[in-house]
Amino acid sequence: MNISVPAKDVKIELKNVHKRFGQKVVLHDLALTVPKGKSLVVIGGSGSGKSVMLKCILGIIRPEKGSIKVDGKDVTRLSTTDREKTLTKFGMLFQNAALFDSLPVWENVAFGLIQGRNMKRKDAKEIAIEKLGQVGLTTDIGDLYPAELSGGMQKRVGLARAIATDPEIIFFDEPTTGLDPIMADVINDLIVNSVQKLGATALSITHDMASARKIADYIAMIYKGEIIWAGTRDEVDNSGNEYVDQFIHGRADGPIKMDVLKP
Amino acid sequence: MNPLAIIGNVVIAALGETGRLSVFTWKAITHILRPPFYWRLIGEQMMRIGYFSLPVVALTAFFTGGVLALQVYYGSDQFNSESIVATIVALGITRELGPVLGGLMVAGRAAAAIAAELGTMRVTEQIDALSTLSTNPFKYLVVPRVVAAVITLPALVFIGDVIGIFGGFVVGTQTLDFNAGVYIKTTVDFLELDDLTSGLIKSSVFGFIIAMMGCYQGFHSRGGAQGVGRATTNAVVNSSILILAANYVMTSLFFSS
């Protein structure tokens, strides 16, 4: 099951991707197409392989089998230098923001510009302050350290860092996890606005359906390391797939069994 | 469980760990030689590993020099001990005690700090974040720490040598009533450049071991706070053992002829 778009409109393409850790199979024959300039949200339960899939695309984890193409180029066996070059296309918002706690906020946002693009610190700081403004944070936040910020503010700084280099592709790893519903909606709005403004391709993973409905053009569901359904956001409610139905309605009963001891 | 299976599992685990550490070390060495070079980070790490370890190394050296003087005095012919005490303190500190105790002190301080910092960065995905920002974590995190430790440990140990000899001098002249001039002359006469350089070469190797173990354990930290704690303990224990083992090998090489 995959999203069908013309070859010229494909930004990222995963085919037959396999990954295991010891005896545990995490990705099994995974296939997924991410259309250029669109926002695809992958939904799925905890431990279904969502984060590993993202890390495989980024080259942080190497799959045992299969191909992952970005702009038609296989990125699974790149040299360190080529991988670093390919990663300049990417921005990523991590689940817990993953801000560098030894650096002030502005330097976190400007990191990709200073280290990745050799920009002067003064120029990079100006851009960082501008990006912080785009995510609704004031200039004075720039001199604080991540530990001094609330969870929602850290997420926004993480988003500012993800968009600081104007990337072609942005990954969002559980962007609303751990946030209250109002802050989650604020983050969703910021994601939609940022992606639209950049014209970027977005790939998000989440189990928050409210977030998925808001930020997605396309939705795919991963289960036991395999994409079992994919379609447009509007099709998700009539997917005809009992796994998807159970997941989007959050039902305990259904084909997806949780490893929970019954009282 | 079958005892042979237990032994087999332990051997396989040990070989696996050795292999991973060797690959990690090789990667670190190759990255040291290739740009980009993060000079500012190397400077920062030299301050953290070297400068901030100075008080603990200085105190250790001073008291070690003093204790050595007392032990040699009480353990030798006390009527003819002036030259023996000065000679043994100087040789003992520069050849062995300075580099080894200095290395162990820095291992306790710096290897733990490196493993804790990198371990926390690992479990909070900060190391993954570096990769997504087109920055090689090896170059950005490992190389500055290794270079800084290799450079600063000899400097630290040299200062420790001077303070250790001074500790022996203070005890010798103030407690054992040695003549200060004779003590200094004996020290200068018996101490050779090779004694000093062998200790400094050793300390440079110890610096490499400390930084590598701290970085390796931090990089491979897993499982939240407990994993970071385990990485920190392993970094200190493993680097201390490796320092002692490497010291034996280097002493055999330097002084066998």
Side-chain angles (χ1 to χ4, degrees), chain A residues 55 58 60 80 84 87-88 90 92 94-95 98-101 103 107 111-112 115-116 121 161 173, chain B residues 31 34 38 40 48 117 120-122 124-136 139-140:
Chain A
K55 287 179 179 176
L58 291 167
I60 294 169
T80 310
E84 280 168 19
L87 283 170
T88 57
F90 289 84
M92 179 157 176
F94 285 83
Q95 187 172 349
L99 300 176
F100 305 125
D101 41 26
L103 301 177
E107 217 172 325
F111 195 92
Q115 304 298 346
R121 290 171 69 82
R161 184 173 71 179
D173 183 359
Chain B
H31 280 298
R34 284 182 295 172
Y38 295 103
R40 194 171 62 86
R48 282 200 208 175
E117 188 181 4
T120 306
M121 288 185 77
R122 167 61 73 197
T124 55
E125 295 187 304
Q126 290 178 53
I127 293 181
D128 291 342
L130 277 175
S131 297
T132 66
L133 293 163
S134 309
T135 303
N136 188 313
K139 285 195 192 304
Y140 190 80

Side-chain angles (χ1 to χ4, degrees), chain B residues 169-230:
Chain B
F169 171 80
V170 169
V171 170
T173 54
Q174 302 303 311
T175 308
L176 307 175
D177 288 332
F178 292 164
N179 180 286
V182 173
Y183 192 98
I184 292 169
K185 189 177 181 310
T186 312
T187 302
V188 172
D189 284 349
F190 276 89
L191 201 59
E192 290 180 5
L193 190 62
D194 283 353
D195 301 321
L196 202 61
T197 51
S198 67
L200 298 183
I201 292 167
K202 280 181 180 180
S203 59
S204 201
V205 174
F206 298 161
F208 183 79
I209 290 170
I210 290 164
M212 283 309 304
M213 290 313 299
C215 291
Y216 174 76
Q217 294 295 340
F219 247 67
H220 293 86
S221 175
R222 294 280 182 278
Q226 199 179 24
V228 175
R230 201 165 37 238

Side-chain angles (χ1 to χ4, degrees), chain B residues 45 54 57 70 85 101 115 127 131 156 165 172 186 212 218 230 246 248 256:
Chain B
Q45 290 304 322
L54 194 52
V57 170
L70 284 178
V85 169
L101 290 180
I127 293 181
S131 297
L156 210 52
I165 291 171
T186 312
M212 283 309 304
R230 201 165 37 238
Y248 175 78
S256 60

Side-chain angles (χ1 to χ4, degrees), chain B residues 9-207:
Chain B
N9 284 337
V10 169
V11 171
I12 289 168
L15 288 175
E17 190 73 1
T18 309
R20 279 190 291 275
L21 179 59
S22 305
V23 171
F24 190 88
T25 306
W26 175 246
K27 270 175 85 175
I29 291 168
T30 56
H31 280 298
I32 285 171
L33 305 170
R34 284 182 295 172
F37 304 110
Y38 295 103
W39 301 112
R40 194 171 62 86
L41 292 179
I42 292 172
E44 265 176 32
Q45 290 304 322
M46 285 173 75
M47 285 294 284
R48 282 200 208 175
I49 297 169
Y51 183 72
F52 293 127
S53 297
L54 194 52
V56 72
V57 170
L59 283 171
T60 306
F62 182 82
F63 288 118
T64 304
V67 165
L68 192 57
L70 284 178
Q71 288 287 9
V72 173
Y73 177 75
Y74 293 128
S76 64
D77 174 6
Q78 294 178 12
F79 297 104
N80 191 26
S81 61
E82 204 161 40
S83 62
I84 296 171
V85 169
T87 308
I88 293 182
V89 166
L91 294 184
I93 290 287
T94 53
R95 284 185 179 187
E96 294 297 333
L97 294 173
V100 172
L101 290 180
L104 291 175
M105 285 296 148
V106 179
R109 209 188 146 275
I114 292 170
E117 188 181 4
L118 267 54
T120 306
M121 288 185 77
R122 167 61 73 197
V123 299
T124 55
E125 295 187 304
Q126 290 178 53
I127 293 181
D128 291 342
L130 277 175
S131 297
T132 66
L133 293 163
S134 309
T135 303
N136 188 313
F138 249 86
K139 285 195 192 304
Y140 190 80
L141 296 173
V142 178
V143 170
R145 284 164 174 79
V146 172
V147 171
V150 168
I151 293 171
T152 53
L153 252 285
L156 210 52
V157 166
F158 178 76
I159 295 168
D161 286 349
V162 174
I163 294 172
I165 291 171
F166 178 68
F169 171 80
V170 169
V171 170
T173 54
Q174 302 303 311
T175 308
L176 307 175
D177 288 332
F178 292 164
N179 180 286
V182 173
Y183 192 98
I184 292 169
K185 189 177 181 310
T186 312
T187 302
V188 172
D189 284 349
F190 276 89
L191 201 59
E192 290 180 5
L193 190 62
D194 283 353
D195 301 321
L196 202 61
T197 51
S198 67
L200 298 183
I201 292 167
K202 280 181 180 180
S203 59
S204 201
V205 174
F206 298 161

Side-chain angles (χ1 to χ4, degrees), chain A residues 12-243:
Chain A
I12 303 171
E13 189 177 37
L14 292 89
K15 271 185 187 168
N16 189 31
V17 176
H18 291 253
K19 180 67 194 174
R20 64 164 65 211
F21 294 106
Q23 297 298 312
K24 186 173 167 50
V25 177
V26 182
L27 300 180
H28 175 72
D29 197 17
L30 186 135
L32 184 67
T33 301
V34 186
K36 196 178 282 180
K38 299 290 179 189
S39 173
L40 169 66
V41 174
V42 178
I43 57 172
S46 303
S48 55
K50 303 189 297 292
S51 295
V52 173
M53 179 189 72
L54 281 194
K55 287 179 179 176
C56 283
I57 300 171
L58 291 167
I60 294 169
I61 295 174
R62 185 175 280 190
E64 278 108 30
K65 227 168 91 177
S67 77
I68 299 172
K69 289 182 179 171
V70 177
D71 289 329
K73 190 177 177 188
D74 197 329
V75 294
T76 51
R77 299 286 182 269
L78 290 179
S79 67
T80 310
T81 317
D82 286 341
R83 186 157 75 87
E84 280 168 19
K85 218 175 278 174
T86 305
L87 283 170
T88 57
K89 294 180 179 182
F90 289 84
M92 179 157 176
L93 171 59
F94 285 83
Q95 187 172 349
N96 294 309
L99 300 176
F100 305 125
D101 41 26
S102 58
L103 301 177
V105 163
W106 79 263
E107 217 172 325
N108 264 282
V109 177
F111 195 92
L113 299 167
I114 297 170
Q115 304 298 346
R117 305 207 172 166
N118 297 320
M119 190 179 279
K120 284 182 183 163
R121 290 171 69 82
K122 189 170 162 284
D123 298 338
K125 186 171 184 177
E126 277 175 22
I127 294 173
I129 298 295
E130 183 196 321
K131 297 291 179 185
L132 284 170
Q134 279 182 29
V135 297
L137 294 172
T138 50
T139 311
D140 54 317
I141 298 289
D143 292 323
L144 298 178
Y145 280 83
E148 298 172 277
L149 306 179
S150 68
M153 285 165 98
Q154 288 187 9
K155 274 273 161 79
R156 283 196 268 174
V157 174
L159 179 58
R161 184 173 71 179
I163 62 172
T165 54
D166 295 339
E168 295 170 33
I169 304 161
I170 313 179
F171 286 176
F172 300 99
D173 183 359
E174 311 272 9
T176 55
T177 299
L179 300 178
D180 66 73
I182 297 169
M183 183 51 75
D185 203 44
V186 169
I187 296 291
N188 288 333
D189 284 337
L190 288 170
I191 288 173
V192 172
N193 292 339
S194 305
V195 171
Q196 278 176 355
K197 196 173 174 191
L198 290 172
T201 302
L203 175 58
S204 315
I205 56 173
T206 186
H207 38 59
D208 175 358
M209 280 313 297
S211 176
R213 288 177 199 280
K214 188 136 192 178
I215 65 179
D217 295 314
Y218 293 94
I219 294 178
M221 177 154 174
I222 186 170
Y223 179 65
K224 290 192 173 174
E226 204 176 340
I227 298 294
I228 57 166
W229 182 85
T232 64
R233 174 180 57 188
D234 298 333
E235 288 169 346
V236 75
D237 289 313
N238 302 300
S239 65
N241 184 306
E242 53 186 342
Y243 291 85

